[in-house]
Amino acid sequence: MTYSYFPGCTLKNKATDLDIWARKSAEALGFTLEEIPEWQCCGGEYPMAKDEIASKLSSVRALANARDSGKDLVTLCSACYNVLKQVNNDVATDETVAFKVNNYLKQDEIEYHGEAKVLHYLEILRDVVGWDKVKAAVKKPFTGKKIGAYYGCLLLRPGKVLQLDDPENPQLIEDFIKAIGATPVIYAQRNECCGAYTMFEDESIPKNRTKKILSNAEDMGADFLVTSCPLCRYNLIKNKGDSKLDVIYFTELLAEALGLKEEK
């Protein structure tokens, strides 16, 4: 099985581990990520203004490319997933947005109306590969480790559009943690925003949010946290203070469990 792949900007610089180990793990589990040629940054955040069209065009180009290739579009970054899926929903359900988008893209001979399907890598593990097959492929299980899932806000919300998991009581990453042989730690702050987008306005906000998240996870016995969001990981590590918790990309844990990399 081959998927169109949108890595996003951060996976090409600060979050290369998220990208590299996703590709290697995919091959080990029987699917391939085929990077879209000449993709452009998705913008990093979904534009809320109804009349903001230009910043959505890079996402539409990627979506149209996936449609034309006949493959579902897969991404790893929580922000990219959020933007791509919301923009896809806009074009598919809002005639005004679709008209304006296609008017812009006429010069590129692109017409798009939301035909592509956007998936997160974790959805492939859950819905295509299956947790039982993931578990069967594990060579170095994380036996005895207690891992806290950190979803943040972008991976789950808005729930009616993303439809990845229950935004109030998600299980997706916990099921992943079980599949690699570890014990998931349930803590109250796992699906709360880390405040990263507010850092330029008020640095105290992400610092306070990070403290609450890490303290809550530590109190519940987590050895470390796992995430799919580069911005969340950066913010949590930057503002961790005295916390001993590390924050690791889920693809690194997957690759290690599959025996594709040496244990750190």
Side-chain angles (χ1 to χ4, degrees), residues 57-73:
L57 298 181
S58 61
S59 294
V60 175
R61 290 189 179 96
L63 292 161
N65 185 291
R67 175 203 60 192
D68 294 344
S69 71
K71 304 179 183 72
D72 293 339
L73 181 61

Side-chain angles (χ1 to χ4, degrees), residues 36-257:
I36 290 176
E38 299 181 357
W39 54 267
Q40 299 167 305
C41 175
C42 72
E45 61 179 300
Y46 172 73
M48 299 295 289
K50 283 292 185 180
D51 59 351
E52 177 54 52
I53 300 298
S55 59
K56 297 181 180 181
L57 298 181
S58 61
S59 294
V60 175
R61 290 189 179 96
L63 292 161
N65 185 291
R67 175 203 60 192
D68 294 344
S69 71
K71 304 179 183 72
D72 293 339
L73 181 61
V74 173
T75 191
L76 287 131
C77 169
S78 298
C80 292
Y81 174 73
N82 187 286
V83 172
L84 288 168
K85 199 154 188 180
Q86 290 209 71
V87 169
N88 198 45
N89 181 71
D90 285 346
V91 181
T93 62
D94 191 318
E95 292 182 1
T96 300
V97 172
F99 173 79
K100 292 180 178 180
V101 162
N102 285 305
N103 193 44
Y104 267 104
L105 295 176
K106 277 182 180 179
Q107 61 182 343
D108 297 327
E109 298 183 346
I110 294 174
E111 184 172 347
Y112 184 73
H113 296 278
E115 299 92 345
K117 184 176 182 179
V118 181
L119 297 171
H120 193 276
Y121 190 103
L122 284 163
E123 287 182 274
I124 299 176
L125 298 183
R126 179 186 66 190
D127 303 331
V128 179
V129 178
W131 296 127
D132 288 342
K133 289 185 179 179
V134 173
K135 186 175 181 179
V138 168
K139 297 179 180 179
K140 296 182 178 180
F142 283 84
T143 305
K145 291 294 184 181
K146 297 179 179 180
I147 305 174
Y150 184 66
Y151 292 88
C153 54
L154 295 175
L155 193 61
L156 300 170
R157 302 179 179 92
K160 291 182 179 179
V161 176
L162 301 189
Q163 297 183 353
L164 179 68
D165 204 346
D166 183 342
E168 298 302 323
N169 186 31
Q171 296 297 318
L172 178 57
I173 301 181
E174 282 77 12
D175 288 341
F176 166 77
I177 292 169
K178 292 176 184 177
I180 62 172
T183 301
V185 174
I186 306 299
Y187 63 106
Q189 296 288 322
R190 63 196 173 116
N191 57 346
E192 297 296 329
C193 179
C194 70
Y197 281 114
T198 67
M199 69 176 69
F200 295 111
E201 182 175 346
D202 185 348
E203 291 185 0
S204 68
I205 297 175
K207 287 182 179 179
N208 290 334
R209 290 298 312 131
T210 294
K211 183 177 180 180
K212 288 182 179 180
I213 292 164
L214 296 181
S215 295
N216 184 204
E218 284 183 297
D219 289 344
M220 298 305 293
D223 294 319
F224 55 88
L225 301 185
V226 60
T227 190
S228 72
C229 183
L231 184 57
C232 291
R233 182 177 185 271
Y234 170 81
N235 185 52
L236 292 174
I237 290 176
K238 181 179 184 294
N239 294 301
K240 67 185 297 182
D242 296 330
S243 175
K244 297 179 180 179
L245 291 188
D246 197 2
V247 184
I248 303 172
Y249 293 126
F250 79 94
T251 54
E252 290 188 77
L253 298 185
L254 178 59
E256 189 170 318

Side-chain angles (χ1 to χ4, degrees), residues 5 7-25 33 35 39 76-77 121 227-231 233-234 248-253 255 261 264:
Y5 175 46
C9 302
T10 309
L11 274 72
K12 292 296 183 178
N13 44 72
K14 297 295 184 181
T16 54
D17 282 335
L18 183 56
D19 172 68
I20 292 170
W21 299 115
R23 295 176 190 257
K24 292 182 181 296
S25 296
L33 301 178
E35 188 171 329
W39 54 267
L76 287 131
C77 169
Y121 190 103
T227 190
S228 72
C229 183
L231 184 57
R233 182 177 185 271
Y234 170 81
I248 303 172
Y249 293 126
F250 79 94
T251 54
E252 290 188 77
L253 298 185
K261 66 192 295 279
K264 289 187 177 181

